[in-house]
């Protein structure tokens, strides 16, 4: 595979400004590979980078972290992977030697950084990744499914933190792509019933069609907390997964969980958001709250297995495929039209493709 010197990339130059530019193809170190990008899923984090809410100190930056592609070049020390291999990469990088890394908690590493969030990512024709981060894409898996491994790994990570058991009641607040994925993973975990709380009708329809939702609660029509209690013998749910990211919905999570139950904090709020928690209840109810920030390590292998063997089919979430030049429009579309779900950016594409 011949690699050119320059490539097309979408660069966030300052908050609210994105430019399609010709930039140098990243130089590959001895332990890195260069991946020719096939697909990148747009994530809420990309919107936060574009608007300046996140990673503003890293600009100019090429975002993009839910990606798949084909190895175009490999450094001299790279073993086990070769040019032409279809891959994705765990975006979470750390020092591997500190207190946290040695305990398998790389997300807490002082040197923790993510590809496409803190260093250049995949909204470009090529992206550089350390070979140690690579995962092979199974034969027959589409590049869109492969680009979905990253977000699915985040859902799986949250479930491992909560340790949801068979037959337990689970409430998921929020029907974003990941909220809907949580319903799917909850079903695989054996949860019953699975209750989804969401106000978006189109997303609710998709979630129900995907077959893992037992009860749907529209909080604009009913008192969601009262409804959850009604569905769980008056107790509240065994587990509540907050997947919206507002103080209001976090407050609801505390009122929906039963004594002795567990809340999974997943939705990302504003950086300074807080909620009042009744500490008396917290102690007497023996509540558990688990935070969960990203899928790492084996979460990626688990996500690959679920997609490879058809345990999860995310196709109903896939709205559009667009060329790199349309990324900024796609970001704006996602900010204004909540009926659009996952959009993929494909550098080799010349025009927009409607997927669902
Ligand atoms: Zn993401
Ligand atoms: Zn470390």
């Amino acid at each position: 595979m011949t690699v050119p010197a320059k490539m097309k990339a979408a660069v966030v130059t300052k908050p609210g400004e994105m430019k399609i530019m010709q930039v140098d193809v990243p130089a590959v170190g001895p332990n890195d590979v260069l991946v020719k990008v096939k697909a990148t899923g747009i994530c809420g984090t990309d919107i936060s980078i574009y608007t300046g809410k996140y990673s503003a100190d890293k600009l100019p930056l090429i975002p993009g972290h839910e990606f798949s592609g084909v190895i175009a070049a490999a450094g001299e020390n790279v073993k086990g992977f070769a040019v032409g291999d279809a891959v994705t990469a765990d975006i979470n990088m750390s020092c591997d030697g500190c207190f946290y890394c040695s305990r398998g908690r790389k997300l807490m590493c002082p040197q923790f950084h993510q590809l496409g969030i803190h260093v250049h990512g995949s909204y470009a024709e090529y992206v550089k990744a350390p070979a140690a981060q690579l995962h092979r894409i199974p034969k027959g898996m589409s590049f869109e499914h492969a680009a979905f491994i990253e977000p699915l790994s985040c859902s799986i990570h949250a479930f491992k933190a909560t340790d949801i058991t068979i037959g337990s009641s689970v409430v998921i607040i929020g029907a974003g792509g990941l909220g809907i994925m949580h319903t799917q993973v909850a079903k695989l975990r054996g949860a019953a019933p699975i209750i989804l709380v969401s106000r978006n009708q189109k997303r609710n329809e998709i979630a129900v069609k995907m077959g893992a939702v037992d009860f749907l609660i529209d909080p604009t029509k009913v008192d969601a907390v009262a409804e959850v209690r009604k569905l769980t013998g008056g107790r509240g749910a065994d587990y509540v997964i907050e997947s919206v990211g507002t103080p209001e919905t976090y407050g609801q999570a505390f009122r929906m969980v039963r004594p002795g139950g567990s809340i999974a904090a997943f939705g990302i709020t504003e950086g300074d958001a807080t909620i009042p928690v009744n500490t008396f209840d917290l102690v007497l109810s023996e509540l558990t709250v688990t935070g969960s920030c990203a899928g790492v390590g084996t979460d990626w292998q688990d996500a690959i297995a679920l997609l490879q063997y058809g345990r999860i089919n995310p196709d109903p979430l896939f709205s559009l495929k667009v060329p790199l030049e349309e990324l900024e429009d796609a970001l704006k579309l996602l900010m204004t039209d909540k009926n659009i779900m996952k959009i993929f950016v494909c550098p080799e594409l010349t025009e927009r493709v409607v997927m669902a």
Side-chain angles (χ1 to χ4, degrees):
M1 217 176 272
T2 46
V3 177
K6 296 274 185 186
M7 67 175 186
K8 207 163 45 177
V11 185
V12 177
T13 45
K14 58 183 188 194
E17 186 180 271
M18 174 172 279
K19 287 185 177 160
I20 303 294
M21 298 167 75
Q22 284 290 323
V23 301
D24 290 342
V25 169
V28 172
N31 301 309
D32 300 327
V33 298
L34 186 71
V35 177
K36 189 168 192 343
V37 179
K38 294 289 185 178
T40 304
I42 301 181
C43 165
T45 304
D46 298 325
I47 295 172
S48 297
I49 293 170
Y50 173 62
T51 57
K53 224 169 90 179
Y54 206 67
S55 281
D57 58 329
K58 300 285 186 278
L59 304 184
L61 180 77
I62 304 170
H65 61 272
E66 302 178 359
F67 73 94
S68 61
V70 173
I71 296 178
E76 63 207 45
N77 296 343
V78 174
K79 293 200 174 61
F81 289 95
V83 170
D85 287 353
V87 293
T88 181
D90 182 340
I91 61 166
N92 304 291
M93 295 175 281
S94 63
C95 79
D96 279 338
C98 72
F99 175 91
Y100 293 105
C101 287
S102 63
R103 284 159 179 78
R105 301 299 301 269
K106 66 193 288 189
L107 298 174
M108 271 88 246
C109 173
Q111 291 178 45
F112 173 67
H113 62 288
Q114 293 171 301
L115 197 153
I117 295 171
H118 306 103
V119 296
H120 289 323
S122 60
Y123 289 133
E125 290 176 283
Y126 296 90
V127 61
K128 180 179 81 167
Q133 304 292 116
L134 293 180
H135 291 277
R136 200 177 295 282
I137 298 172
K139 264 203 171 54
M141 184 182 286
S142 71
F143 285 112
E144 288 77 25
H145 275 208
F148 199 74
I149 292 166
E150 192 278 334
L152 180 56
S153 77
C154 295
S155 173
I156 290 169
H157 190 78
F159 274 78
K160 287 181 186 171
T162 60
D163 195 25
I164 287 170
T165 48
I166 291 172
S168 46
S169 54
V170 175
V171 171
I172 291 135
I173 308 177
L178 279 168
I180 295 177
M181 272 308 107
H182 295 329
T183 68
Q184 297 278 306
V185 180
K187 186 177 179 184
L188 291 172
R189 264 287 174 96
I194 297 168
I195 304 165
L196 178 65
V197 180
S198 153
R199 59 184 68 204
N200 182 296
Q201 211 179 331
K202 168 100 187 276
R203 292 179 175 206
N204 290 350
E205 279 167 20
I206 292 171
V208 169
K209 211 187 284 171
M210 288 177 76
V213 177
D214 296 296
F215 298 104
L216 189 62
I217 297 174
D218 181 343
T220 63
K221 299 206 172 96
V222 292
D223 177 344
V225 173
E227 207 63 23
V228 166
R229 289 187 178 278
K230 216 187 287 173
L231 294 169
T232 52
R235 292 184 300 274
D238 299 331
Y239 297 87
V240 179
I241 304 175
E242 202 292 343
S243 195
V244 175
T246 64
E248 185 198 349
T249 42
Y250 271 103
Q252 279 178 352
F254 275 89
R255 297 195 301 280
M256 285 173 180
V257 73
R258 71 161 165 79
S262 180
I263 295 169
F266 191 85
I268 297 179
T269 59
E270 297 288 337
D272 57 357
T274 56
I275 57 163
V277 173
N278 183 314
T279 44
F280 181 81
D281 284 349
L282 187 62
V283 173
L284 267 68
S285 297
E286 298 201 335
L287 291 184
T288 303
V289 180
T290 56
S292 166
C293 131
V296 284
T298 55
D299 303 330
W300 283 66
Q301 289 150 9
D302 300 338
I304 291 169
L306 294 186
L307 291 166
Q308 181 179 5
Y309 293 102
R311 295 296 187 275
I312 284 182
N313 175 13
D315 286 349
L317 305 178
F318 295 176
S319 302
L320 292 171
K321 279 199 269 197
V322 302
L324 199 53
E325 290 77 1
E326 285 189 38
L327 170 57
E328 191 171 14
D329 289 344
L331 290 168
K332 288 176 180 163
L333 185 64
L334 286 166
M335 285 190 267
T336 52
D337 186 349
K338 295 294 171 203
N339 289 334
I340 303 284
M341 299 201 74
K342 186 57 83 181
I343 301 180
F344 293 99
V345 176
C346 306
E348 291 170 356
L349 212 60
T350 52
E351 57 186 50
R352 178 180 287 221
V353 176
V354 177
M355 300 177 82

